[in-house]
Amino acid sequence: MSDTITTGLVSLDAPLGADKAAVIRSLAARVVAQGRATDAEALYADAWAREEKDETGLPGGIAIPHAKSAAVTTPSLAFARLTPGVDFGAPDGAADLVFLIAAPADAAEAHLAVLSKLARSLMQEDFTSGLRAAKSDEDVVAIVQAAIGEREAAAPAAPAAAAAPASTGLDVDGRPARVVAVTSCATGIAHTFMAADALTAAGKKAGIDLVVEPQGSSGYQALPVDVIRNADAVIFATDVDVREPQRFAGKPVVRSGVKRGIEQPDQLIVEAVAAANNPSATRVGGEATGATAAPAETLSWGARIQRILLTGVSYMIPFVAGGGLLIALGFLIGGVNVGDEAFSVIVDNALWALPAGGLAQYLGSVLFVIGVTSMGFLVSALAGYIAFAIADRPGIAPGFVAGAVAVIMNAGFIGGIIGGLLAGFVAWWIGRLNAPRWLRGLMPVVIIPLAASIVASGLMILFLGRPIATLMEGLNAWLTGLAATDAIILVGVILGLMMCFDLGGPVNKVAYAFAVAGLSAGSAENPTPYLIMAAVMAAGMVPPLAMALASTVLARNMFPPVERENGKAAWLLGAAFISEGAIPFAAADPLRVIPSMMLGGAVTGALSMAFAVQSLAPHGGIFVLFAISPIWGFLVALVAGTVVSALTVIALKKWIAPKELAEAEARVAVAA
């Protein structure tokens, strides 16, 4: 493994610019100049994107801009000692010691471990003072290489015997508190380990027993079960989800972002001990560890439902993304009619016994069937993981069953949400019953799934499924009658509104099913079904593309980090005609997102009809442009609707209840 830092990557007391953007760009250029990255602007862009999510300035005059980037070929540390310092957002002022941590996008664990050692060294005063006193580039390289294990360090002087820590009053039941902590950041390289070391040092100083589990990019070593069991409280200093959080179920918990673990470790410890001594403190969700356990979280019902729905959506998206793209690839390889016989083709044929259409038809059918199968899990996965968010693992089975029943009853996406909520709350309620000891072992694997499945799925079958199905049938009949008149542009507007109303739900599915069902009747003499299919597909692509445009290009500062990340994925989802890519945005802010999407969908539907755009393919988005005519009309309609929706949602977020938006972003940041 090559040296991570060299003299060519060091800048001592040279002016690199008046602001942090200039400093990062200059250090990125230095990495490229040393042949360790291919594109300075790409490396800068990746580091700046990370900086925009969360400023990298730290107390003590330190800044650690960092990124994983495809432009990086060799893991590198570029260092600058600045005179004067530059503001990187630290609470105590400008930074004079700046490390640009540049890791390849596919960095090996060994490289990530080296970069993590640097982050931990930055918490040591002798390391930073050595850098400030360094006389040459060679001195800096020697200090850093010794810290990260690339050069043997001088043997330290024997420390003086430390006095026993004085009592700080951080006691539980008359003894020093026992606290466990988890730290993690978005990249898992720097902040994760710096927070771990800061908390460890603060715990030692406070005279308590504190053990930290840093969950970094190079993996993590799980805390021993007995350590967690004996802990009085838990600290989650994290910017991303804690891995295996059920291990801490029932423990009093203090949550914060990872930077607070670096900047305020003493305060976090005080709060954790206070929570341990408070019977009403917030606790980690999951199965309680005792009869007196407090509720998992004290959130408002609106915030709780939002978190539950977003959990379901996050688990559902991979089914949608993978399935939709596989279907599109099936059309591309096997032709626009590949779906007509795809299932019989894969059953009756093989690579050595190809169908009449040859290898292309066979491979296209294989991709199509896999994609349709993946998409078939969409509603079940949504319902199952909504229930999981409410009742943990005992809720998964009844949630999946309720979602499958919603599909059988033609209740679609909305039915899946309702079924998942029913299954989850029933499973949660049953799990809180004080069952006899001999029955407790059967509760999560037999009793809860059985009872919750009966209640949730039974209600879907007996009361809820049929009304939704009836509504869908009525809408379908109405649209068919309207399309037979001269109001074809109005049909485009209506279909655009429907496609963007519930983003993959029953109303969306009515419009889509209406379009697909009519394709078989389309012909050169009767192009109306092809016109309808094009309008539906284009309008359905608008929501994810519009939210991607708004959150990653036009108004990044209006969206919290998690939504900016969702926006990156939404570009591909929208291009593939996967309307569900906008669900995370709509679930978090429905009153502003959904009307904006509907407006853009209506524009796209109307223009598609006005340009007489036809589509012979029922799915695939831009991946089936070969089956769309005229392509220019399709693209113009799509771009127009996307821009209208993006500008509208930005305007609504800017002028309609911006205070509420800021509060929602703060809640998301704390929850992460």
Side-chain angles (χ1 to χ4, degrees):
M1 185 167 60
S2 61
D3 291 343
T4 308
I5 186 170
T6 65
T7 55
L9 296 172
V10 176
S11 173
L12 290 182
D13 306 319
L16 300 186
D19 57 29
K20 61 182 180 179
V23 173
I24 295 172
R25 182 175 268 112
S26 177
L27 291 176
R30 189 173 288 264
V31 173
V32 172
Q34 295 300 308
R36 305 169 77 92
T38 58
D39 186 334
E41 195 59 30
L43 174 55
Y44 162 77
D46 290 331
W48 186 251
R50 176 65 183 85
E51 191 74 24
E52 285 191 305
K53 292 179 185 177
D54 193 8
E55 293 181 309
T56 56
L58 300 170
I62 301 167
I64 49 167
H66 55 281
K68 290 183 182 179
S69 175
V72 178
T73 56
T74 304
S76 303
L77 298 173
F79 171 75
R81 189 173 68 195
L82 303 175
T83 306
V86 170
D87 183 13
F88 273 77
D92 60 347
D96 64 324
L97 302 180
V98 181
F99 276 99
L100 173 63
I101 304 176
D106 56 350
E109 290 187 8
H111 292 142
L112 295 174
V114 167
L115 300 180
S116 300
K117 287 180 181 178
L118 169 75
R120 309 189 87 144
S121 297
L122 288 169
M123 303 307 297
Q124 301 172 11
E125 187 174 347
D126 57 345
F127 177 73
T128 54
S129 61
L131 292 174
R132 290 190 171 97
K135 301 297 185 182
S136 65
D137 297 350
E138 290 78 8
D139 290 344
V140 170
V141 171
I143 293 170
V144 175
Q145 287 186 336
I148 63 179
E150 292 183 354
R151 175 181 299 194
E152 187 174 348
S167 174
T168 57
L170 299 177
D171 298 336
V172 175
D173 296 333
R175 55 164 173 75
R178 294 190 290 259
V179 178
V180 294
V182 175
T183 61
S184 62
C185 64
T187 56
I189 297 175
H191 289 79
T192 297
F193 298 96
M194 297 176 74
D197 284 353
L199 286 167
T200 300
K204 184 177 181 180
K205 176 183 174 183
I208 69 168
D209 183 3
L210 189 147
V211 185
V212 186
E213 179 184 294
Q215 296 185 350
S217 291
S218 56
Y220 69 100
Q221 183 67 43
L223 292 172
V225 174
D226 60 326
V227 172
I228 297 175
R229 184 189 306 117
N230 294 329
D232 301 308
V234 182
I235 296 172
F236 288 157
T238 61
D239 288 340
V240 296
D241 289 341
V242 174
R243 303 175 203 177
E244 300 183 277
Q246 66 274 11
R247 295 175 294 154
F248 307 93
K251 295 290 182 183
V253 62
V254 173
R255 299 178 186 269
S256 79
V258 70
K259 284 191 71 175
R260 191 169 179 231
I262 301 171
E263 298 170 356
Q264 300 176 5
D266 301 305
Q267 182 62 29
L268 281 176
I269 290 172
V270 170
E271 293 174 13
V273 176
N277 289 309
N278 179 6
S280 301
T282 297
R283 295 176 183 262
V284 180
E287 188 176 349
T289 57
T292 60
E297 303 258 1
T298 54
L299 298 174
S300 68
W301 274 108
R304 188 176 303 176
I305 293 297
Q306 175 180 311
R307 179 178 293 182
I308 289 168
L309 294 178
L310 286 176
T311 298
V313 169
S314 68
Y315 282 102
M316 176 197 73
I317 289 296
F319 291 94
V320 179
L325 289 174
L326 284 166
I327 291 172
L329 289 173
F331 286 130
L332 180 62
I333 294 173
V336 295
N337 297 318
V338 71
D340 296 347
E341 301 177 352
F343 287 89
S344 61
V345 164
I346 68 165
V347 171
D348 300 333
N349 297 275
L351 284 172
W352 54 89
L354 295 173
L359 182 62
Q361 183 186 8
Y362 182 72
L363 294 179
S365 297
V366 169
L367 293 172
F368 180 86
V369 169
I370 296 173
V372 168
T373 303
S374 176
M375 293 285 285
F377 286 103
L378 188 155
V379 176
S380 293
L382 175 67
Y385 287 105
I386 283 175
F388 165 75
I390 299 169
D392 210 81
R393 284 180 292 179
I396 292 178
F400 264 83
V401 173
V405 168
V407 173
I408 294 172
M409 298 298 294
N410 291 321
F413 176 75
I414 299 298
I417 290 178
I418 294 172
L421 291 171
L422 286 172
F425 281 116
V426 172
W428 173 79
W429 178 76
I430 296 173
R432 290 174 59 85
L433 297 178
N434 190 17
R437 181 178 295 274
W438 61 269
L439 190 59
R440 289 177 187 171
L442 294 175
M443 290 290 287
V445 295
V446 177
I447 306 301
I448 295 176
L450 172 65
S453 295
I454 291 174
V455 173
S457 297
L459 289 173
M460 287 299 302
I461 294 172
L462 296 174
F463 301 107
L464 301 173
R466 193 174 298 276
I468 296 176
T470 300
L471 174 63
M472 293 175 68
E473 292 171 0
L475 288 172
N476 201 344
W478 174 62
L479 285 172
T480 302
L482 191 61
T485 69
D486 294 332
I488 192 71
I489 292 181
L490 177 59
V491 172
V493 172
I494 294 171
L495 290 173
L497 292 171
M498 294 176 67
M499 288 299 295
C500 300
F501 173 70
D502 55 359
L503 307 175
V507 176
N508 171 286
K509 289 297 185 287
V510 166
Y512 181 68
F514 168 70
V516 173
L519 274 181
S520 58
S523 65
E525 294 75 23
N526 178 28
T528 300
Y530 300 147
L531 297 172
I532 291 174
M533 189 71 252
V536 163
M537 188 184 302
M541 296 167 67
V542 165
L545 290 176
M547 295 312 303
L549 179 63
S551 63
T552 67
V553 178
L554 298 181
R556 289 173 52 84
N557 62 322
M558 287 189 174
F559 296 84
V562 66
E563 290 193 351
R564 293 199 291 269
E565 290 301 313
N566 287 335
K568 295 176 183 177
W571 282 112
L572 181 59
L573 296 175
F577 179 34
I578 301 171
S579 304
E580 288 84 352
I583 288 176
F585 301 94
D589 189 10
L591 296 181
R592 282 177 283 193
V593 171
I594 291 178
S596 303
M597 300 305 102
M598 292 176 67
L599 179 60
V603 169
T604 293
L607 289 176
S608 179
M609 290 295 190
F611 296 147
V613 180
Q614 301 181 28
S615 174
L616 279 65
H619 207 285
I622 65 170
F623 298 97
V624 292
L625 285 178
F626 58 88
I628 297 173
S629 176
I631 293 177
W632 68 265
F634 181 84
L635 294 177
V636 168
L638 177 61
V639 170
T642 297
V643 172
V644 167
S645 283
L647 294 178
T648 303
V649 78
I650 290 170
L652 292 178
K653 283 181 176 290
K654 183 175 182 180
W655 291 307
I656 304 298
K659 181 179 179 181
E660 293 179 7
L661 175 63
E663 293 173 351
E665 290 180 350
R667 289 196 299 272
V668 171
V670 171

